[in-house]
Amino acid sequence: ETGVTQSPTHLIKTRGQQVTLRCSSQSGHNTVSWYQQALGQGPQFIFQYYREEENGRGNFPPRFSGLQFPNYSSELNVNALELDDSALYLCASSLVGLAGNEQFFGPGTRLTVL
Amino acid sequence: GNSVTQMEGPVTLSEEAFLTINCTYTATGYPSLFWYVQYPGEGLQLLLKATKADDKGSNKGFEATYRKETTSFHLEKGSVQVSDSAVYFCALTIIQGAQKLVFGQGTRLTINP
């Protein structure tokens, strides 16, 4: 069973640029969530995708957008990067359903905005 | 709203000491509760969970009991090891359209030999 994978591992961008982060779900999972973890903080929910549609969003502006593909992999896109976007971006996959269902996390992508 | 508050860190203990990391929550409805652990340079791993009041989650010697009356989910371990050094996150999950996790700020634990 393959776990959640993310690419790239690290990324450096400059302010105003655009970035795409990628995530492959764990086998058998149909839901992908993205979280932003600033240094020294807990992860913050960005959004979740189920059946290729966004089905919930946290307090993030529209320049944060995403996609889910038929094979349940996902992308997170961030436009017009700001310095405060520097963070670890975590992808998590799960089976939609009960609140007790575990979300399995990938290792994250470390984004630095200069 | 929904929120999680953890005890302030960092926490430093000697090997074989008793560990408690406090966690309280505020939630509408009946959340499930989780403890996640993050080792240096890695993503989050589920440590244990409880899905209803009075449930006890346990794993690798760690335990936490879902206390509805005190809205708490404190993490405990009787004898810590150097390998337990990590950042620990308490979290709740709610379903509001999406099933989203709400995390506390994390507690950094360092165990000295």
Side-chain angles (χ1 to χ4, degrees):
Chain A
E1 183 179 88
T2 306
V4 179
T5 60
Q6 292 185 244
S7 62
T9 305
H10 296 88
L11 203 51
I12 299 175
K13 292 286 189 177
T14 55
R15 198 169 43 182
Q17 285 189 309
Q18 178 266 342
V19 68
T20 297
L21 310 182
R22 294 179 174 83
C23 170
S24 291
S25 299
Q26 183 162 313
S27 175
H29 287 177
N30 56 14
T31 302
V32 175
S33 304
W34 286 91
Y35 293 82
Q36 180 195 66
Q37 186 180 13
L39 199 61
Q41 304 292 317
Q44 299 289 317
F45 176 75
I46 303 174
F47 44 54
Q48 184 177 84
Y49 278 81
Y50 170 63
R51 290 185 176 175
E52 301 175 50
E53 290 194 1
E54 184 183 296
N55 72 333
R57 190 177 186 93
N59 261 349
F60 283 82
R63 60 189 185 82
F64 285 78
S65 62
L67 286 172
Q68 186 185 29
F69 300 100
N71 65 355
Y72 304 124
S73 65
S74 177
E75 286 182 356
L76 164 66
N77 299 291
V78 187
N79 294 323
L81 283 167
E82 300 176 0
L83 297 179
D84 284 349
D85 296 334
S86 295
L88 180 68
Y89 288 85
L90 296 165
C91 167
S93 72
S94 59
L95 275 173
V96 72
L98 298 175
N101 284 358
E102 179 182 350
Q103 293 191 20
F104 291 81
F105 284 82
T109 293
R110 172 75 60 188
L111 173 64
T112 302
V113 182
L114 303 176
Chain B
N2 301 294
S3 65
V4 174
T5 302
Q6 290 181 233
M7 68 184 287
E8 293 288 333
V11 174
T12 302
L13 296 172
S14 298
E15 207 166 21
E16 299 184 4
F18 183 85
L19 169 71
T20 299
I21 301 178
N22 290 337
C23 170
T24 57
Y25 68 90
T26 303
T28 52
Y30 302 97
S32 293
L33 302 175
F34 302 80
W35 277 99
Y36 279 85
V37 58
Q38 188 172 38
Y39 297 101
E42 298 185 13
L44 299 173
Q45 300 176 24
L46 179 67
L47 182 59
L48 53 84
K49 71 176 184 181
T51 58
K52 62 183 187 297
D54 300 325
D55 268 4
K56 178 185 283 188
S58 61
N59 186 27
K60 299 180 181 178
F62 291 90
E63 292 183 341
T65 301
Y66 189 143
R67 301 285 187 200
K68 187 181 173 189
E69 63 275 12
T70 55
T71 62
S72 65
F73 193 55
H74 304 321
L75 182 67
E76 296 181 337
K77 186 175 185 181
S79 176
V80 293
Q81 306 299 313
V82 172
S83 57
D84 294 328
S85 298
V87 182
Y88 291 81
F89 292 94
C90 184
L92 63 83
T93 189
I94 54 173
I95 296 182
Q96 291 177 334
Q99 176 189 341
K100 73 173 191 178
L101 282 161
V102 176
F103 288 89
Q105 73 271 32
T107 301
R108 181 174 298 278
L109 174 66
T110 302
I111 307 299
N112 294 321

